Amino acid sequence: MEKTRMKQSLTNRNIQLIALGGAIGTGLFLGSAKAIKLAGPSVLLTYLICGLAVYAMMRAMGDLFLIGGTFQSIGDFIDYYLGGKWAFLVNWTYWLCWVGGGLSELTAIGLYIHFWFPDIPALMSGVVTLCLLGMINMIAVKWFGELESVFSIIKIIGILLFILLGTGLCIWSFHTQTIGVRENFGRVASLFPFGVKGLLASLPMVLFSFAGVEMIGLTVGETSDPRNNMKKAIDCLPWRILFFYIGTILAILLVVPWQQLDLKESPLVTMLQMIHCQSGAAIINNIVLVASLSSANSAIYSTSRILYDTAKEKRLPNWFSAISSRGVPVHGILFTAGLFFVGLCLHFFVADSRILFQLLAGMTTSCFLFVWSSILYAHIQMVKERKTANSQRIVYRDKLVIAFFCAVGISLLVEPATRFVPLYSFLWFSALLLFYRKAVKENSARE
């Protein structure tokens, strides 16, 4: 293996499509059913609020990369503005984000495969998928970029057609008593069936659907023009949130009464089965399967790059910084694939894949909340150093979003499936701090 730089093979088209489709995965296509069940039609408001918070975080991350100029990863600017200890916590927690996210996607793939082959174990589907994606990531980063671009195009076209279909069905069947628009929006009371508690309970699953939107921060070191590519990607984010997230949920609610959604399948599939379009349901199931393949592919890419960056900063053995002749961190990919395989073995202990998915989604969300809050906190420090005319307003906005993310973390206590996630998070950060102190002592002893 060569210890050299990773190749800058990702084009502007790759970056834009990765930014566009990177966060469109199981959180939207499967997790949205759970979110709708918890909040009813008011989940649209939840998606809007969460979308605004995520956009504010992305603007902050864009500023850090574009103004800083020399930062190559999220860990770089965290280290610069918040210190080495915080960077250590963020790097490892972000790594855990993608481990949990990848396992969620591989678990969801098993549920989607059950649509055609109900007798195939979810563990088998996940392992086969893991092997295929692992081999693709081992070849070259350009293959990852092209595959992710194809996946993103399929997802975008699929969502566009689904929104058009949902709107058309609503107009065509408006006078039908069972149409979703009547059941879900016919009365004011039906908009908030569970009140504020329902909105709070749905927040973690809704934010989980945005997980991965910041992944373009990991591609900075592998694209030839990071400044322009990232600026374009972030500038497009507001309409993407409105169209892809809120548009998809609205299309579902226009057709399907929220009480009839089935947590065992994507709500998009439920909608087409409701109108007795089995072939269309199979096509949509293919699209949501592609979405999970895309997100699992991103998870392998992201975790391997985080391990590489951490090793490059001398916080992991040099083994993880080894680059193959094709310019990929091959040891990080192998380690990640092995860890995903171990995680998939949780299927032996949790019989119901739906419960396992909710637990993984809750854990992943809590990790992303910490990483996103850290990005905002680093942005606050940068703004205070620069002291521009509107610094006070920006700092207030960032603090408000951090407070919102903290509230979402507390809302994990509402749902029984995620009630213990805050405890797991506490144990995770306690272990990281102990590990960091031990690493610092060992480095001091060597010097």
Side-chain angles (χ1 to χ4, degrees):
M1 297 297 163
E2 301 173 14
K3 289 183 181 178
T4 183
R5 290 176 61 86
M6 290 189 287
K7 294 184 179 178
Q8 296 181 324
S9 305
L10 297 178
T11 64
N12 177 57
R13 176 178 59 85
N14 293 147
I15 297 299
Q16 298 308 315
L17 286 171
I18 288 170
L20 196 58
I24 302 173
T26 298
L28 178 61
F29 289 131
L30 184 62
S32 58
K34 181 64 176 178
I36 295 170
K37 280 283 191 180
L38 290 169
S42 64
V43 77
L44 287 168
L45 179 60
T46 312
Y47 270 94
L48 180 60
I49 294 170
C50 290
L52 291 172
V54 168
Y55 177 58
M57 181 275 298
M58 289 294 289
R59 284 289 300 272
M61 187 182 79
D63 285 348
L64 286 160
F65 276 118
L66 299 175
I67 295 173
T70 59
F71 301 129
Q72 295 292 303
S73 68
I74 293 171
D76 284 351
F77 61 70
I78 295 293
D79 193 1
Y80 183 84
Y81 287 109
L82 303 181
K85 182 191 290 188
W86 205 299
F88 181 84
L89 294 175
V90 167
N91 279 338
W92 277 107
T93 303
Y94 194 42
W95 172 80
L96 186 64
C97 286
W98 281 105
V99 170
L103 287 173
S104 300
E105 300 297 343
L106 292 170
T107 299
I109 285 169
L111 292 172
Y112 298 148
I113 293 295
H114 282 168
F115 181 86
W116 298 289
F117 308 104
D119 296 327
I120 292 181
L123 175 61
M124 183 183 295
S125 303
V127 170
V128 171
T129 302
L130 177 61
C131 291
L132 290 173
L133 294 178
M135 286 189 292
I136 289 169
N137 275 268
M138 291 277 283
I139 297 172
V141 68
K142 185 170 179 61
W143 278 62
F144 162 79
E146 292 303 325
L147 183 63
E148 194 59 32
S149 297
V150 171
F151 282 162
S152 295
I153 290 169
I154 293 172
K155 287 188 284 186
I156 292 163
I157 293 173
I159 289 177
L160 175 61
L161 293 176
F162 180 81
I163 291 173
L164 291 174
L165 177 63
T167 306
L169 286 171
C170 173
I171 296 170
W172 185 266
S173 308
F174 182 77
H175 297 291
T176 305
Q177 289 298 320
T178 57
I179 192 69
V181 68
R182 286 177 173 273
E183 293 283 329
N184 297 328
F185 303 105
R187 292 175 293 110
V188 175
S190 65
L191 295 175
F192 297 88
F194 303 111
V196 176
K197 184 179 179 181
L199 283 174
L200 290 175
S202 69
L203 282 171
M205 189 59 76
V206 171
L207 266 184
F208 174 67
S209 67
F210 289 100
V213 71
E214 77 303 312
M215 196 191 80
I216 55 172
L218 291 174
T219 66
V220 171
E222 295 180 84
T223 178
S224 55
D225 189 7
R227 292 180 64 85
N228 289 331
N229 292 342
M230 179 167 288
K231 187 176 185 305
K232 289 176 183 176
I234 293 174
D235 287 344
C236 293
L237 192 61
W239 72 263
R240 282 164 42 202
I241 290 172
L242 283 172
F243 183 78
F244 289 107
Y245 289 88
I246 298 176
T248 301
I249 302 302
L250 181 59
I252 294 168
L253 292 173
L254 287 176
V255 179
V256 184
W258 68 268
Q259 301 93 332
Q260 296 183 22
L261 290 174
D262 189 345
L263 299 181
K264 293 184 293 185
E265 62 188 11
S266 169
L268 286 71
V269 174
T270 302
M271 188 187 95
L272 288 165
Q273 288 184 327
M274 183 179 170
I275 61 173
H276 308 292
C277 183
Q278 195 65 25
S279 59
I283 292 171
I284 288 294
N285 200 63
N286 266 314
I287 292 172
V288 296
L289 177 60
V290 165
S292 280
L293 288 170
S294 169
S295 296
N297 189 40
S298 297
I300 294 173
Y301 173 89
S302 302
T303 47
S304 62
R305 268 58 181 182
I306 294 166
L307 292 172
Y308 169 81
D309 287 335
T310 308
K312 198 172 62 173
E313 295 164 1
K314 307 300 182 185
R315 296 193 180 100
L316 268 182
N318 286 335
W319 185 80
F320 287 102
S321 64
I323 299 296
S324 72
S325 59
R326 295 178 179 270
V328 297
V330 63
H331 289 166
I333 294 171
L334 289 172
F335 181 81
T336 294
L339 194 67
F340 279 166
F341 175 75
V342 173
L344 283 171
C345 291
L346 288 171
H347 283 283
F348 288 120
F349 304 99
V350 183
D352 192 338
S353 295
R354 291 172 296 174
I355 294 175
L356 180 59
F357 172 75
Q358 289 178 39
L359 177 61
L360 289 169
M363 292 175 62
T364 304
T365 302
S366 68
C367 292
F368 271 109
L369 289 173
F370 174 74
V371 174
W372 292 346
S373 298
S374 299
I375 291 171
L376 288 162
Y377 188 36
H379 188 243
I380 289 172
Q381 300 305 115
M382 185 195 76
V383 170
K384 286 181 176 179
E385 282 186 12
R386 291 177 61 82
K387 295 181 180 178
T388 57
N390 57 347
S391 293
Q392 190 172 357
R393 180 180 61 82
I394 294 173
V395 168
Y396 176 77
R397 181 197 67 194
D398 288 350
K399 287 182 177 179
L400 185 64
V401 178
I402 291 173
F404 172 72
F405 287 155
C406 291
V408 175
I410 294 171
S411 72
L412 287 165
L413 298 169
V414 176
E415 265 294 287
T418 59
R419 197 158 287 166
F420 292 100
V421 168
L423 174 61
Y424 299 149
S425 300
F426 173 77
L427 294 174
W428 167 256
F429 287 113
S430 298
L432 280 183
L433 286 171
L434 288 173
F435 187 70
Y436 179 79
R437 286 172 186 167
K438 183 181 177 182
V440 169
K441 286 181 181 178
E442 289 178 353
N443 288 337
S444 300
R446 290 194 198 102
E447 294 172 0

